[in-house]
Amino acid sequence: MKMDVLKLINNLLYRECSSCIPLGLKGGKLGIAIFWALYSEKVMNASCRKRATRILNDIIVNIELLSDSFLSGKMGFGWGMFFLINRGILSLDSEMQNLLNYISRLSSYSLDGHPFQLSLDDCLFSKGICKLKQRTCYENISRYIIDEELIVFVDECENLLSCKIEKIYTPEQLTLQELNSLLYFLKEIKSRKIFPFKANLLISRIEELYNKQNKKSFVEESVYQVLASKEYNLSLKGKEMFEKLKILSELGFYSLIYEESRIFSVPFYKLIYDEPDIERKILKILKEESVSLNILCGLGFGLLNLK
């Protein structure tokens, strides 16, 4: 049944992909290209790989039209390219190297006297997430230079999580979405032994701030419980079917960005246990209702990441 849903998503994306849709990672051409690249790898479909290549070339031609943001702009494109290179789907030739060098400067630390801030557009620790993905594609001296930047980013995480600026900023302002992105970044720093001691202290600080959160959406709380290795105590049971689909698609997107399949698989398998015919219901909605690119790609990412 999973492959039936993925096949339908593939067909719907082919029908929806036109010149008038945005270029970015979330709800745009880049997201579709990454889905097709991963789907082609799953089912050994050469036509999907060719479609993905055509879209990526189109984005490269229009790269200057993109903002610098992660979800809809250049930084997300850089992350996506590093992701596909790391998966062995793209090769890092000289032309791609030059383009990524240009984009990578957006995620580099700048000593300009201004405090590092989360992107207001994305509510994510975008530069840290992009720099981590860049690190996986390099070795030796290049990786050492990236690690030096990541250490500076850890210090900036400390500022965000611990420092107050009177009447301007307090860590309690951080949303759960922002805390989750910082948690992912710091867990990766810890596991890669780049700055593990400080990362571990800051992860504890995130838990303190999480416990002070009054409003927690299902998606963000679900992501937190998985990233923080907490006992998963949430359930989609009782929610409207379309709402379940939207939530699953958001979790699927985060499972891609945070490279943690359990963000999607834990609530999905729990939902299957509660509703054994859930995949049939998903197919029915996809066939009969108008579904956004966000939902199609996010659900697709989640299903492709299932073990």
Side-chain angles (χ1 to χ4, degrees), residues 75-127:
M75 206 181 305
F77 177 80
W79 178 91
M81 296 306 96
F82 288 128
F83 173 83
L84 294 175
I85 291 166
N86 191 46
R87 292 288 293 260
I89 296 173
L90 276 183
S91 59
L92 190 59
D93 58 25
S94 59
E95 185 178 351
M96 180 62 73
Q97 180 69 71
N98 291 335
L99 177 60
L100 291 176
N101 284 343
Y102 159 65
I103 292 173
S104 295
R105 286 194 287 272
L106 300 174
S107 62
S108 295
Y109 182 74
S110 175
L111 295 172
D112 57 7
H114 296 288
F116 187 95
Q117 294 180 347
L118 292 165
S119 167
L120 297 177
D121 175 48
D122 296 339
C123 293
L124 296 169
F125 197 60
S126 303
K127 293 188 177 183

Side-chain angles (χ1 to χ4, degrees), residues 100-282:
L100 291 176
N101 284 343
Y102 159 65
I103 292 173
S104 295
R105 286 194 287 272
L106 300 174
S107 62
S108 295
Y109 182 74
S110 175
L111 295 172
D112 57 7
H114 296 288
F116 187 95
Q117 294 180 347
L118 292 165
S119 167
L120 297 177
D121 175 48
D122 296 339
C123 293
L124 296 169
F125 197 60
S126 303
K127 293 188 177 183
I129 293 170
C130 192
K131 190 61 66 176
L132 279 171
K133 184 52 62 184
Q134 181 186 356
R135 181 183 186 270
T136 63
C137 298
Y138 294 94
E139 296 179 349
N140 304 325
I141 189 66
S142 295
R143 179 171 287 190
Y144 175 80
I145 293 169
I146 292 170
D147 284 354
E148 289 292 305
E149 288 191 82
L150 288 170
I151 288 171
V152 176
F153 286 175
V154 174
D155 289 335
E156 296 301 336
C157 287
E158 183 176 31
N159 291 338
L160 285 164
L161 292 166
S162 304
C163 296
K164 296 181 180 180
I165 304 174
E166 189 175 355
K167 297 182 180 179
I168 296 177
Y169 174 78
T170 174
E172 283 71 20
Q173 291 175 217
L174 291 168
T175 66
L176 188 48
Q177 183 182 3
E178 292 164 341
L179 289 175
N180 283 339
S181 70
L182 290 168
L183 177 58
Y184 163 73
F185 174 79
L186 291 167
K187 283 189 66 178
E188 291 295 302
I189 291 294
K190 179 182 175 182
S191 69
R192 286 164 170 69
K193 297 180 172 55
I194 297 172
F195 203 169
F197 177 73
K198 181 172 279 190
N200 204 44
L201 290 175
L202 294 176
I203 288 169
S204 298
R205 173 60 177 156
I206 288 174
E207 183 168 8
E208 291 175 17
L209 292 170
Y210 165 80
N211 291 329
K212 294 179 180 179
Q213 292 273 329
N214 294 320
K215 294 182 179 180
K216 300 172 183 174
S217 73
F218 186 99
V219 169
E220 300 305 336
E221 187 166 10
S222 186
V223 172
Y224 176 82
Q225 288 189 10
V226 173
L227 289 179
S229 301
K230 301 292 184 183
E231 181 181 354
Y232 193 85
N233 59 13
L234 303 176
S235 174
L236 287 166
K237 194 173 182 179
K239 295 185 181 294
E240 293 292 330
M241 188 56 219
F242 201 82
E243 180 66 16
K244 291 174 185 173
L245 191 59
K246 286 171 61 179
I247 288 171
L248 286 173
S249 70
E250 284 293 307
L251 294 174
F253 181 77
Y254 281 124
S255 75
L256 174 80
I257 299 301
Y258 296 150
E259 297 182 276
E260 173 52 84
S261 62
R262 293 179 66 252
I263 289 174
F264 180 85
S265 66
V266 171
F268 182 66
Y269 285 134
K270 191 171 183 180
L271 183 58
I272 289 177
Y273 179 83
D274 292 334
E275 300 180 50
D277 63 341
I278 189 64
E279 289 177 285
R280 180 187 62 79
K281 293 178 181 177
I282 290 173

